[in-house]
Short mmCIF file of all heavy atoms in Angstrom, two decimals:
data_model
loop_
_atom_site.label_atom_id
_atom_site.label_comp_id
_atom_site.label_asym_id
_atom_site.label_seq_id
_atom_site.Cartn_x
_atom_site.Cartn_y
_atom_site.Cartn_z
N ARG A 1059 21.57 45.10 -1.81
CA ARG A 1059 21.45 46.46 -1.31
C ARG A 1059 20.00 46.92 -1.23
O ARG A 1059 19.15 46.48 -2.02
CB ARG A 1059 22.24 47.43 -2.20
CG ARG A 1059 23.73 47.30 -2.09
CD ARG A 1059 24.45 48.54 -2.64
NE ARG A 1059 24.13 48.80 -4.02
CZ ARG A 1059 24.95 48.56 -5.05
NH1 ARG A 1059 26.16 48.05 -4.82
NH2 ARG A 1059 24.59 48.84 -6.27
N LYS A 1060 19.75 47.85 -0.31
CA LYS A 1060 18.43 48.46 -0.22
C LYS A 1060 18.26 49.55 -1.27
O LYS A 1060 17.13 49.89 -1.64
CB LYS A 1060 18.24 49.08 1.17
CG LYS A 1060 18.18 48.06 2.29
CD LYS A 1060 17.98 48.72 3.64
CE LYS A 1060 19.20 49.45 4.12
NZ LYS A 1060 19.09 49.94 5.51
N LYS A 1061 19.36 50.11 -1.74
CA LYS A 1061 19.31 51.16 -2.74
C LYS A 1061 20.31 50.86 -3.84
O LYS A 1061 21.45 50.45 -3.56
CB LYS A 1061 19.64 52.52 -2.12
CG LYS A 1061 19.65 53.67 -3.12
CD LYS A 1061 20.02 54.99 -2.47
CE LYS A 1061 20.08 56.12 -3.49
NZ LYS A 1061 20.49 57.41 -2.89
N ASN A 1062 19.89 51.04 -5.10
CA ASN A 1062 20.78 50.85 -6.23
C ASN A 1062 20.93 52.15 -7.01
O ASN A 1062 20.27 53.15 -6.70
CB ASN A 1062 20.29 49.70 -7.11
CG ASN A 1062 20.58 48.35 -6.49
OD1 ASN A 1062 21.73 48.03 -6.20
ND2 ASN A 1062 19.55 47.55 -6.25
N PHE A 1063 21.81 52.14 -8.02
CA PHE A 1063 22.20 53.38 -8.69
C PHE A 1063 22.12 53.26 -10.21
O PHE A 1063 23.14 53.38 -10.90
CB PHE A 1063 23.62 53.76 -8.25
CG PHE A 1063 23.74 54.02 -6.78
CD1 PHE A 1063 23.96 52.98 -5.90
CD2 PHE A 1063 23.60 55.30 -6.28
CE1 PHE A 1063 24.06 53.20 -4.53
CE2 PHE A 1063 23.69 55.54 -4.91
CZ PHE A 1063 23.92 54.50 -4.04
N PRO A 1064 20.90 53.04 -10.74
CA PRO A 1064 20.79 52.86 -12.20
C PRO A 1064 21.20 54.08 -13.00
O PRO A 1064 21.55 53.96 -14.18
CB PRO A 1064 19.29 52.55 -12.38
CG PRO A 1064 18.63 53.12 -11.17
CD PRO A 1064 19.61 52.95 -10.06
N ASP A 1065 21.16 55.28 -12.39
CA ASP A 1065 21.48 56.51 -13.11
C ASP A 1065 22.87 57.04 -12.80
O ASP A 1065 23.22 58.14 -13.22
CB ASP A 1065 20.43 57.58 -12.78
CG ASP A 1065 19.02 57.16 -13.17
OD1 ASP A 1065 18.87 56.53 -14.24
OD2 ASP A 1065 18.09 57.44 -12.39
N ALA A 1066 23.67 56.26 -12.08
CA ALA A 1066 25.01 56.72 -11.73
C ALA A 1066 25.89 56.84 -12.99
O ALA A 1066 25.81 56.00 -13.89
CB ALA A 1066 25.66 55.76 -10.75
N LYS A 1067 26.69 57.88 -13.03
CA LYS A 1067 27.64 58.02 -14.13
C LYS A 1067 28.77 57.02 -13.94
O LYS A 1067 29.39 56.99 -12.88
CB LYS A 1067 28.20 59.45 -14.17
CG LYS A 1067 27.17 60.51 -14.54
CD LYS A 1067 27.82 61.88 -14.62
CE LYS A 1067 26.79 62.93 -15.00
NZ LYS A 1067 27.40 64.29 -15.07
N PRO A 1068 29.03 56.18 -14.94
CA PRO A 1068 30.05 55.14 -14.78
C PRO A 1068 31.39 55.70 -14.32
O PRO A 1068 31.92 56.64 -14.90
CB PRO A 1068 30.15 54.51 -16.17
CG PRO A 1068 28.81 54.76 -16.78
CD PRO A 1068 28.39 56.11 -16.27
N LEU A 1069 31.90 55.11 -13.24
CA LEU A 1069 33.25 55.37 -12.71
C LEU A 1069 33.46 56.77 -12.15
O LEU A 1069 34.58 57.12 -11.77
CB LEU A 1069 34.31 55.07 -13.78
CG LEU A 1069 34.31 53.63 -14.30
CD1 LEU A 1069 35.37 53.47 -15.38
CD2 LEU A 1069 34.56 52.65 -13.16
N GLU A 1070 32.38 57.56 -12.04
CA GLU A 1070 32.52 58.87 -11.42
C GLU A 1070 32.48 58.72 -9.90
O GLU A 1070 31.66 57.97 -9.36
CB GLU A 1070 31.41 59.80 -11.88
CG GLU A 1070 31.52 60.21 -13.34
CD GLU A 1070 32.78 61.01 -13.62
OE1 GLU A 1070 33.08 61.95 -12.85
OE2 GLU A 1070 33.50 60.67 -14.58
N PRO A 1071 33.36 59.41 -9.17
CA PRO A 1071 33.39 59.24 -7.71
C PRO A 1071 32.13 59.77 -7.04
O PRO A 1071 31.63 60.85 -7.38
CB PRO A 1071 34.62 60.04 -7.28
CG PRO A 1071 34.89 60.99 -8.41
CD PRO A 1071 34.40 60.33 -9.66
N VAL A 1072 31.61 58.98 -6.09
CA VAL A 1072 30.44 59.35 -5.29
C VAL A 1072 30.76 59.01 -3.84
O VAL A 1072 31.15 57.87 -3.54
CB VAL A 1072 29.17 58.58 -5.73
CG1 VAL A 1072 27.98 59.00 -4.87
CG2 VAL A 1072 28.88 58.80 -7.21
N GLU A 1073 30.61 59.96 -2.94
CA GLU A 1073 30.86 59.68 -1.52
C GLU A 1073 29.58 59.17 -0.86
O GLU A 1073 28.53 59.82 -0.93
CB GLU A 1073 31.36 60.92 -0.79
CG GLU A 1073 31.73 60.62 0.67
CD GLU A 1073 32.34 61.79 1.40
OE1 GLU A 1073 33.27 62.41 0.85
OE2 GLU A 1073 31.86 62.10 2.51
N ILE A 1074 29.68 58.00 -0.24
CA ILE A 1074 28.54 57.40 0.46
C ILE A 1074 29.00 56.98 1.85
O ILE A 1074 29.93 56.18 1.98
CB ILE A 1074 27.98 56.19 -0.31
CG1 ILE A 1074 27.54 56.59 -1.72
CG2 ILE A 1074 26.81 55.56 0.45
CD1 ILE A 1074 27.14 55.43 -2.61
N ASP A 1075 28.35 57.53 2.85
CA ASP A 1075 28.70 57.21 4.25
C ASP A 1075 30.20 57.37 4.50
O ASP A 1075 30.83 56.54 5.17
CB ASP A 1075 28.25 55.79 4.61
CG ASP A 1075 26.73 55.66 4.64
OD1 ASP A 1075 26.05 56.67 4.87
OD2 ASP A 1075 26.23 54.55 4.41
N GLY A 1076 30.76 58.43 3.92
CA GLY A 1076 32.15 58.78 4.19
C GLY A 1076 33.20 58.03 3.39
O GLY A 1076 34.39 58.22 3.63
N VAL A 1077 32.78 57.20 2.43
CA VAL A 1077 33.73 56.42 1.62
C VAL A 1077 33.45 56.67 0.14
O VAL A 1077 32.29 56.76 -0.28
CB VAL A 1077 33.62 54.91 1.94
CG1 VAL A 1077 34.49 54.09 0.99
CG2 VAL A 1077 34.02 54.65 3.39
N GLU A 1078 34.51 56.74 -0.66
CA GLU A 1078 34.35 56.97 -2.10
C GLU A 1078 33.95 55.68 -2.81
O GLU A 1078 34.63 54.66 -2.70
CB GLU A 1078 35.65 57.49 -2.71
CG GLU A 1078 35.54 57.76 -4.22
CD GLU A 1078 36.83 58.26 -4.84
OE1 GLU A 1078 37.56 59.03 -4.16
OE2 GLU A 1078 37.12 57.87 -6.00
N PHE A 1079 32.84 55.74 -3.53
CA PHE A 1079 32.40 54.66 -4.41
C PHE A 1079 32.58 55.08 -5.86
O PHE A 1079 32.44 56.26 -6.19
CB PHE A 1079 30.91 54.35 -4.20
CG PHE A 1079 30.57 53.48 -3.02
CD1 PHE A 1079 30.68 53.97 -1.72
CD2 PHE A 1079 30.11 52.18 -3.21
CE1 PHE A 1079 30.35 53.18 -0.63
CE2 PHE A 1079 29.78 51.38 -2.12
CZ PHE A 1079 29.89 51.88 -0.83
N ARG A 1080 32.85 54.11 -6.71
CA ARG A 1080 32.74 54.29 -8.16
C ARG A 1080 31.95 53.08 -8.68
O ARG A 1080 32.16 51.96 -8.22
CB ARG A 1080 34.11 54.38 -8.82
CG ARG A 1080 34.90 55.59 -8.33
CD ARG A 1080 36.11 55.86 -9.18
NE ARG A 1080 36.89 56.98 -8.64
CZ ARG A 1080 37.60 57.83 -9.39
NH1 ARG A 1080 37.61 57.69 -10.71
NH2 ARG A 1080 38.28 58.81 -8.83
N PHE A 1081 31.05 53.34 -9.63
CA PHE A 1081 30.13 52.30 -10.07
C PHE A 1081 30.37 51.89 -11.52
O PHE A 1081 30.65 52.72 -12.39
CB PHE A 1081 28.68 52.77 -9.93
CG PHE A 1081 28.24 52.93 -8.50
CD1 PHE A 1081 28.18 54.19 -7.91
CD2 PHE A 1081 27.92 51.82 -7.74
CE1 PHE A 1081 27.79 54.34 -6.59
CE2 PHE A 1081 27.52 51.95 -6.42
CZ PHE A 1081 27.46 53.22 -5.84
N ILE A 1082 30.27 50.58 -11.75
CA ILE A 1082 30.25 50.00 -13.09
C ILE A 1082 28.80 49.62 -13.38
O ILE A 1082 28.15 48.97 -12.58
CB ILE A 1082 31.16 48.76 -13.17
CG1 ILE A 1082 32.62 49.15 -12.94
CG2 ILE A 1082 30.99 48.05 -14.52
CD1 ILE A 1082 33.56 47.97 -12.83
N ARG A 1083 28.32 50.04 -14.55
CA ARG A 1083 26.92 49.77 -14.88
C ARG A 1083 26.70 48.28 -15.17
O ARG A 1083 27.43 47.67 -15.95
CB ARG A 1083 26.50 50.59 -16.10
CG ARG A 1083 24.98 50.57 -16.35
CD ARG A 1083 24.60 51.50 -17.50
NE ARG A 1083 25.03 52.87 -17.26
CZ ARG A 1083 24.41 53.73 -16.45
NH1 ARG A 1083 23.35 53.32 -15.78
NH2 ARG A 1083 24.85 54.96 -16.31
N ASN A 1084 25.71 47.72 -14.50
CA ASN A 1084 25.32 46.33 -14.75
C ASN A 1084 23.80 46.23 -14.68
O ASN A 1084 23.15 46.99 -13.96
CB ASN A 1084 25.97 45.38 -13.73
CG ASN A 1084 25.53 45.65 -12.30
OD1 ASN A 1084 25.80 46.73 -11.75
ND2 ASN A 1084 24.85 44.71 -11.68
N ARG A 1085 23.26 45.31 -15.44
CA ARG A 1085 21.80 45.22 -15.54
C ARG A 1085 21.18 44.75 -14.23
O ARG A 1085 21.79 44.02 -13.44
CB ARG A 1085 21.40 44.27 -16.68
CG ARG A 1085 21.66 42.80 -16.42
CD ARG A 1085 21.55 42.00 -17.70
NE ARG A 1085 22.71 42.30 -18.56
CZ ARG A 1085 22.76 41.98 -19.86
NH1 ARG A 1085 21.74 41.36 -20.43
NH2 ARG A 1085 23.83 42.28 -20.56
N ALA A 1086 19.93 45.17 -14.01
CA ALA A 1086 19.16 44.72 -12.86
C ALA A 1086 18.74 43.27 -13.07
O ALA A 1086 18.60 42.81 -14.21
CB ALA A 1086 17.94 45.62 -12.66
N TYR A 1087 18.53 42.56 -11.98
CA TYR A 1087 18.15 41.14 -12.06
C TYR A 1087 17.41 40.74 -10.80
O TYR A 1087 17.47 41.43 -9.77
CB TYR A 1087 19.40 40.27 -12.23
CG TYR A 1087 20.37 40.40 -11.07
CD1 TYR A 1087 20.30 39.55 -9.96
CD2 TYR A 1087 21.35 41.39 -11.07
CE1 TYR A 1087 21.17 39.68 -8.89
CE2 TYR A 1087 22.22 41.54 -10.00
CZ TYR A 1087 22.13 40.68 -8.92
OH TYR A 1087 22.98 40.83 -7.85
N ASP A 1088 16.72 39.64 -10.88
CA ASP A 1088 16.06 39.03 -9.72
C ASP A 1088 16.48 37.58 -9.65
O ASP A 1088 16.56 36.90 -10.68
CB ASP A 1088 14.53 39.13 -9.83
CG ASP A 1088 14.03 40.55 -9.71
OD1 ASP A 1088 14.40 41.22 -8.73
OD2 ASP A 1088 13.28 40.99 -10.60
N GLY A 1089 16.70 37.07 -8.44
CA GLY A 1089 16.99 35.65 -8.27
C GLY A 1089 18.36 35.26 -8.78
O GLY A 1089 19.25 36.10 -9.02
N ASN A 1090 18.54 33.94 -8.97
CA ASN A 1090 19.85 33.39 -9.35
C ASN A 1090 19.87 32.82 -10.76
O ASN A 1090 20.64 31.93 -11.05
CB ASN A 1090 20.25 32.29 -8.35
CG ASN A 1090 20.63 32.86 -7.00
OD1 ASN A 1090 21.29 33.90 -6.93
ND2 ASN A 1090 20.20 32.22 -5.93
N GLY A 1091 19.03 33.34 -11.63
CA GLY A 1091 18.95 32.83 -12.99
C GLY A 1091 19.93 33.49 -13.93
O GLY A 1091 20.94 34.09 -13.53
#
C-alpha cells in the first residue's frame, strides 16, 4: 500500500473509497525477512 494505518483503532470501522475497512494491528516491516 501507498498508505498505512499505524494509529488505527483495532477493528473499528473506517470507510475508505466507499467500502468499510477494519484493521488488525501488525508490525511494520521491509522486504521478505
